[in-house]
Amino acid sequence: MKLLRKVADEFGMGVVTEVVDSGDIELIESYADILQVGARNMQNFQMLKALGKSKKPIMLKRGLSATISEWLNAAEYILNEGNEQVIFCERGIRTYETFTRNTFDLSAVAAIKELSHLPIVADPSHGTGRRSMVAPMSRPAIAAGADGLIIEVHPHPEIAKSDGNQSLTPESFDELTKSLSAIANAVGRKI
Amino acid sequence: MKLLRKVADEFGMGVVTEVVDSGDIELIESYADILQVGARNMQNFQMLKALGKSKKPIMLKRGLSATISEWLNAAEYILNEGNEQVIFCERGIRTYETFTRNTFDLSAVAAIKELSHLPIVADPSHGTGRRSMVAPMSRPAIAAGADGLIIEVHPHPEIAKSDGNQSLTPESFDELTKSLSAIANAVGRKI
Amino acid sequence: MKLLRKVADEFGMGVVTEVVDSGDIELIESYADILQVGARNMQNFQMLKALGKSKKPIMLKRGLSATISEWLNAAEYILNEGNEQVIFCERGIRTYETFTRNTFDLSAVAAIKELSHLPIVADPSHGTGRRSMVAPMSRPAIAAGADGLIIEVHPHPEIAKSDGNQSLTPESFDELTKSLSAIANAVGRKI
Amino acid sequence: MKLLRKVADEFGMGVVTEVVDSGDIELIESYADILQVGARNMQNFQMLKALGKSKKPIMLKRGLSATISEWLNAAEYILNEGNEQVIFCERGIRTYETFTRNTFDLSAVAAIKELSHLPIVADPSHGTGRRSMVAPMSRPAIAAGADGLIIEVHPHPEIAKSDGNQSLTPESFDELTKSLSAIANAVGRKI
């Protein structure tokens, strides 16, 4: 973890790390910039309460089959303890469809924008699970109002240790960034 | 129906009408410009085959819980009889979520663009069932590659005989059109 | 179809045939004992109305993702035209689960028993899509109140032209029948 | 908690308590007979590992939208640490249906019996969320092979502090027990 922090500092990047147990919060807080709650822990209420006492921003991934209402309620567990820096993250929900790994639900992005003042980012890599769909779904995510995107990039996706199927190469990531910039302008935002 | 055709001609509009039984095709063909297959009939294979013999374009709405693969197969029933003018229409799928009437699945739009050469339109009115979400989801639909949108408009949505909850007023429709134009340009298309 | 009727008469069996188009009702009525509406046509309302004018019983399969309420409403289309012989058939609903082909929903059987006076049969063959689960799910179906079962049987399931994966052999069907008899007695019914 | 243990001892009952955080295991172990993992924590892998070191049996509720395969895998986290006393508990999955609170999935009971040697109990109270369906679904649960049932009972369900809508009265519970006994016999088991 020290190494992760060191590399991030060297390259001017931020560190987002997933917390999977209340007992690990103190350690992870000491080096990460944002603490992530994974989809499988979205309703781990004890951990959410503990994160509400942290000074670091919390990125709260939507549960695999969480309703929008349950997701907002999960955020309340954090907010209620005094930590107001909650960032939602839409990462796809579980449906009967098998072509994509999950069903990337952009209406949830629009709904969160309507129902809450908190920021929301979208994760088309996990949301679709298919490299070919990451760019095509990044553009609508921004058009739907997402405040950010999580996109997995790997110089050689075919040998990636995890999630290679949904990773872009640095080149395709660069191209995507350009087209996103035009969309962002079209909806009155800037990248 | 004669009246519908007459009004359409007077105002230079097209007529899209739903077919709900094979026996009605001949009549509807005689006055409509596009024949629509509703979500509940997407797998009414006898009717699809009969529509495959029509000379008019067919708009094939996605079934309430149809997979992308089943939807493509349904189109094959029409194409196979010689009618190559099939237009897909994404109108939301059935999930556990209750905030929206359906879950408007824009990754299906991107998937159809990847898997087929046929055009696809998106229906954010039925897809979300909430007036407040029609505009916010129209923009991402275009960004996802939709070739058209179906948007319900009514001068007085509160007294509409059907689907008033999801209808825009002419004024809000005008505003939406402008913002869609910017998105379309951003993805290299024109409205 | 004449042949089907002839074979049925010779062996003292009944004939249940699926209707897939309003135009076929007259013909099928003339030889079948029960007309079946398949899951894909549960909301083919024109056909349901036409079946409401038939004198034959109608077996109404539940749509792939039909709610119990929609299913009851579909029956109303038939009842409303004067045909009161409607038999519901639970055949599994579409969920995210992939181990079984569908999710065989026995609470729908109990719900129909609570909400309606009409009979309901259960189809564990389609409901599970796995031969090994047909017998294990037939017993609970009877315990849940099902008035009948649809079980596919084939002397050589491995060469069956359709649905071999979910078919029992005559021997395993015989065994099952015995164990069902005990369950039926336990819930105060007889086979 | 001391009180809970005391009352249980006085009436010769067992205590099953839910664990919601790894940090609470030691305390709960000291007075409960069985530790329960709730649906929302089925994939709280750190907690599962910690429970694998406990000497007490673990009742592992199925996640709200967990596949059978994910459920078996969750059990492996516990088993792998040396605790072989895992009891599965089917409590309904999340689907589009709204008549019942969840869709009580009895084919999962049959599937677990096919795929695992571990016991499984069924929870028709949470599985359906409707008092009127608890008895009708308890019988099929036993017929499907469930090794036990969780049934909420309250002398005055209308004033229950939690889950009153799905609680039986002691009288209706007694009646149910008798009818379950007949079903159990019919499938070669005893209550």
Side-chain angles (χ1 to χ4, degrees):
Chain A
M1 287 178 287
K2 270 188 185 167
L3 184 61
L4 187 59
R5 181 73 261 169
K6 205 181 145 194
V7 172
D9 288 342
E10 202 174 318
F11 291 95
M13 300 177 83
V15 172
V16 183
T17 299
E18 183 172 355
V19 180
V20 295
D21 195 77
S22 306
D24 300 337
I25 296 177
E26 208 178 340
L27 174 65
I28 296 176
E29 257 184 341
S30 70
Y31 76 93
D33 298 299
I34 296 181
L35 308 187
Q36 176 180 317
V37 178
R40 284 163 190 75
N41 280 300
M42 191 202 86
Q43 293 191 315
N44 183 340
F45 300 125
Q46 295 306 310
M47 199 173 89
L48 296 178
K49 281 192 230 171
L51 289 166
K53 287 171 185 130
S54 172
K55 296 261 183 316
K56 293 288 173 80
I58 311 299
M59 188 167 76
L60 181 63
K61 290 206 147 192
R62 183 181 186 182
L64 277 77
S65 66
T67 62
I68 290 166
S69 161
E70 289 170 339
W71 198 13
L72 290 165
N73 286 341
E76 286 298 324
Y77 278 83
I78 302 170
L79 299 168
N80 204 38
E81 301 291 326
N83 186 345
E84 299 189 352
Q85 302 177 83
V86 176
I87 304 161
F88 290 104
C89 176
E90 162 62 29
R91 43 75 72 205
I93 57 171
R94 180 158 279 181
T95 70
Y96 62 83
E97 179 62 65
T98 53
F99 181 71
T100 46
R101 196 168 65 177
N102 296 294
T103 293
F104 189 45
D105 180 15
L106 290 182
S107 55
V109 174
I112 291 288
K113 284 289 165 189
E114 181 182 334
L115 300 170
S116 166
H117 65 285
L118 294 166
I120 179 164
V121 301
D123 177 351
S125 304
H126 283 87
T128 66
R130 298 176 72 93
R131 188 181 312 137
S132 66
M133 290 185 73
V134 173
M137 291 312 287
S138 293
R139 287 185 283 265
I142 294 297
D147 300 292
L149 294 170
I150 298 179
I151 293 173
E152 301 196 68
V153 179
H154 195 286
H156 301 289
E158 66 284 6
I159 58 163
K161 291 199 177 152
S162 102
D163 292 332
N165 284 337
Q166 63 198 42
S167 295
L168 299 187
T169 59
E171 295 73 35
S172 49
F173 178 72
D174 272 357
E175 262 178 66
L176 172 58
T177 316
K178 281 166 210 154
S179 78
L180 289 177
S181 185
I183 298 275
N185 285 336
V187 291
R189 307 191 72 166
K190 273 205 297 196
I191 289 188
Chain B
M1 286 179 288
K2 270 188 185 168
L3 184 62
L4 188 59
R5 182 72 261 170
K6 203 181 146 192
V7 173
D9 288 342
E10 201 174 321
F11 291 94
M13 300 177 83
V15 172
V16 184
T17 299
E18 184 171 355
V19 180
V20 295
D21 195 79
S22 306
D24 300 336
I25 297 177
E26 207 176 339
L27 173 65
I28 296 177
E29 256 184 340
S30 70
Y31 75 91
D33 299 299
I34 297 181
L35 309 187
Q36 176 181 316
V37 177
R40 285 164 189 73
N41 280 299
M42 192 202 86
Q43 293 191 315
N44 182 341
F45 299 126
Q46 294 306 310
M47 198 173 89
L48 297 178
K49 280 192 230 171
L51 288 165
K53 287 173 185 128
S54 171
K55 296 260 182 316
K56 294 286 172 79
I58 311 299
M59 187 167 76
L60 181 63
K61 289 206 147 191
R62 184 180 184 183
L64 277 77
S65 67
T67 63
I68 291 166
S69 162
E70 289 170 338
W71 198 13
L72 290 165
N73 287 340
E76 285 299 324
Y77 278 83
I78 302 168
L79 298 168
N80 204 39
E81 301 291 325
N83 187 346
E84 299 189 351
Q85 302 178 82
V86 176
I87 304 162
F88 290 104
C89 176
E90 162 63 28
R91 43 75 71 203
I93 56 171
R94 181 158 278 180
T95 70
Y96 61 83
E97 179 62 66
T98 53
F99 181 71
T100 46
R101 195 167 66 178
N102 296 293
T103 293
F104 189 44
D105 181 14
L106 290 182
S107 57
V109 174
I112 290 288
K113 284 287 165 190
E114 180 181 334
L115 300 170
S116 167
H117 66 284
L118 294 166
I120 179 165
V121 300
D123 177 350
S125 303
H126 283 88
T128 67
R130 297 176 73 93
R131 188 181 312 135
S132 66
M133 291 186 70
V134 173
M137 292 312 288
S138 293
R139 288 185 281 267
I142 294 295
D147 300 292
L149 293 170
I150 298 179
I151 293 173
E152 302 197 68
V153 179
H154 195 285
H156 303 289
E158 66 283 7
I159 58 162
K161 290 199 178 151
S162 103
D163 292 332
N165 284 337
Q166 63 198 41
S167 295
L168 299 188
T169 58
E171 296 73 36
S172 50
F173 178 71
D174 272 357
E175 264 180 64
L176 172 58
T177 315
K178 282 168 209 154
S179 78
L180 289 177
S181 186
I183 298 274
N185 285 335
V187 293
R189 306 192 73 167
K190 273 204 299 195
I191 290 187
Chain C
M1 286 177 287
K2 271 189 185 167
L3 184 61
L4 188 59
R5 182 71 262 170
K6 202 181 147 193
V7 173
D9 288 342
E10 201 175 321
F11 291 94
M13 300 178 83
V15 172
V16 184
T17 299
E18 184 171 356
V19 179
V20 295
D21 196 77
S22 306
D24 299 338
I25 296 178
E26 207 178 340
L27 174 64
I28 297 178
E29 256 185 341
S30 70
Y31 75 92
D33 299 299
I34 296 181
L35 309 187
Q36 176 180 318
V37 177
R40 284 162 190 75
N41 280 300
M42 191 202 85
Q43 294 191 315
N44 183 341
F45 299 126
Q46 294 306 310
M47 198 173 88
L48 296 178
K49 281 191 230 170
L51 288 166
K53 289 173 185 128
S54 171
K55 296 261 183 317
K56 293 285 172 81
I58 310 299
M59 188 168 75
L60 181 63
K61 289 205 147 193
R62 184 180 184 183
L64 277 76
S65 67
T67 62
I68 290 166
S69 161
E70 289 170 338
W71 198 12
L72 290 165
N73 286 340
E76 285 299 323
Y77 278 83
I78 302 169
L79 299 169
N80 205 38
E81 300 291 326
N83 187 346
E84 299 189 350
Q85 302 178 83
V86 175
I87 304 161
F88 290 104
C89 176
E90 162 63 28
R91 44 74 73 203
I93 57 171
R94 181 159 278 181
T95 69
Y96 62 83
E97 179 62 66
T98 53
F99 181 71
T100 46
R101 195 167 67 177
N102 296 293
T103 293
F104 189 45
D105 180 14
L106 290 183
S107 56
V109 174
I112 291 288
K113 284 287 164 190
E114 181 182 334
L115 300 169
S116 167
H117 65 284
L118 294 166
I120 178 165
V121 301
D123 177 350
S125 304
H126 283 88
T128 66
R130 297 176 72 94
R131 188 180 312 138
S132 67
M133 291 185 72
V134 173
M137 291 313 287
S138 293
R139 287 184 284 266
I142 294 296
D147 299 292
L149 294 169
I150 298 180
I151 293 173
E152 302 198 66
V153 178
H154 195 287
H156 302 289
E158 66 283 7
I159 58 162
K161 291 201 176 150
S162 105
D163 292 332
N165 284 337
Q166 63 198 41
S167 295
L168 299 187
T169 58
E171 295 73 35
S172 48
F173 178 71
D174 272 356
E175 262 179 65
L176 172 58
T177 315
K178 281 167 209 153
S179 78
L180 289 177
S181 184
I183 299 275
N185 284 335
V187 292
R189 305 191 74 166
K190 274 207 297 198
I191 290 188
Chain D
M1 285 177 290
K2 270 188 185 167
L3 184 62
L4 187 59
R5 181 71 263 170
K6 203 179 147 194
V7 173
D9 289 342
E10 202 174 319
F11 291 94
M13 299 177 83
V15 172
V16 184
T17 299
E18 184 172 355
V19 180
V20 294
D21 195 76
S22 306
D24 300 337
I25 296 177
E26 207 178 340
L27 174 65
I28 296 177
E29 255 184 342
S30 70
Y31 75 92
D33 300 298
I34 297 181
L35 309 187
Q36 176 180 317
V37 178
R40 285 163 189 74
N41 280 301
M42 192 202 85
Q43 293 191 315
N44 183 340
F45 299 126
Q46 295 305 310
M47 198 174 90
L48 296 178
K49 281 191 230 169
L51 288 166
K53 286 170 186 132
S54 171
K55 296 260 183 317
K56 293 287 172 81
I58 310 299
M59 188 167 75
L60 181 64
K61 288 206 149 193
R62 184 180 184 184
L64 277 76
S65 66
T67 62
I68 291 166
S69 162
E70 288 170 339
W71 198 12
L72 290 165
N73 287 341
E76 285 300 323
Y77 278 83
I78 301 169
L79 299 169
N80 204 38
E81 299 292 326
N83 186 346
E84 299 188 351
Q85 302 178 84
V86 176
I87 304 162
F88 290 104
C89 176
E90 161 62 26
R91 43 75 72 204
I93 57 171
R94 181 158 279 180
T95 69
Y96 62 85
E97 179 62 65
T98 53
F99 181 72
T100 46
R101 195 166 68 177
N102 297 293
T103 293
F104 189 45
D105 180 14
L106 290 182
S107 55
V109 174
I112 291 288
K113 284 288 164 190
E114 181 181 333
L115 300 169
S116 166
H117 66 284
L118 294 166
I120 178 165
V121 300
D123 177 350
S125 303
H126 283 88
T128 66
R130 298 176 73 93
R131 187 181 312 136
S132 67
M133 290 185 71
V134 173
M137 291 313 288
S138 293
R139 288 185 282 267
I142 294 296
D147 299 293
L149 293 169
I150 299 180
I151 292 173
E152 301 196 68
V153 179
H154 195 285
H156 302 288
E158 66 284 6
I159 59 162
K161 290 199 177 152
S162 105
D163 293 332
N165 284 337
Q166 64 198 40
S167 294
L168 299 188
T169 58
E171 296 71 36
S172 48
F173 178 71
D174 272 356
E175 262 179 65
L176 172 58
T177 315
K178 282 166 210 155
S179 78
L180 288 177
S181 184
I183 298 275
N185 285 335
V187 293
R189 307 191 72 164
K190 273 205 298 196
I191 290 190

